[in-house]
Amino acid sequence: MYVDLLYSIRFFCNVKDKLLIIFGNKIRELRNQKNWSQEKLAEETDFHRTYIGMIERGERNLSLLNVQKFAKAFDLPIEDLFKNL
């Protein structure tokens, strides 16, 4: 039972990590489509540039409120940030 729990935790962490990387890639793609630097996106979202980099690399797990700031910055409905993930 303990081994099953460890396997489940490892599986969940791997899925979570992949999702963060995929979402980060989506943010980078949208930023590049606008020809924005990370600094420009930081200005538009009111985040620090290093936080933007961490998101794009899949190192940070965003809250929904922060996801909403990205949607607003890109002038997109929030659900569009999750399309094709």
Side-chain angles (χ1 to χ4, degrees):
M1 184 166 138
Y2 179 73
V3 173
D4 290 338
L5 178 61
L6 286 177
Y7 176 77
S8 296
I9 291 170
R10 284 189 189 133
F11 176 77
F12 176 74
C13 288
N14 288 336
V15 169
K16 182 183 96 169
D17 294 344
K18 288 177 187 174
L19 182 58
L20 293 176
I21 290 167
I22 292 168
F23 187 80
N25 286 335
K26 176 88 173 201
I27 295 298
R28 180 181 294 118
E29 177 184 314
L30 290 168
R31 178 177 62 79
N32 287 333
Q33 286 175 3
K34 289 196 170 272
N35 292 317
W36 286 355
S37 65
Q38 287 183 345
E39 290 84 2
K40 173 65 175 168
L41 181 54
E43 290 173 15
E44 295 293 325
T45 56
D46 219 16
F47 296 136
H48 194 276
R49 183 201 52 79
T50 58
Y51 183 66
I52 300 294
M54 292 168 73
I55 290 166
E56 289 184 355
R57 291 188 301 274
E59 297 172 356
R60 296 301 302 252
N61 191 357
L62 287 75
S63 72
L64 286 175
L65 295 174
N66 289 349
V67 171
Q68 183 180 28
K69 287 183 180 184
F70 280 107
K72 185 176 178 183
F74 292 125
D75 196 29
L76 295 171
I78 196 168
E79 59 268 16
D80 283 3
L81 293 178
F82 298 101
K83 284 184 180 174
N84 303 318
L85 289 187

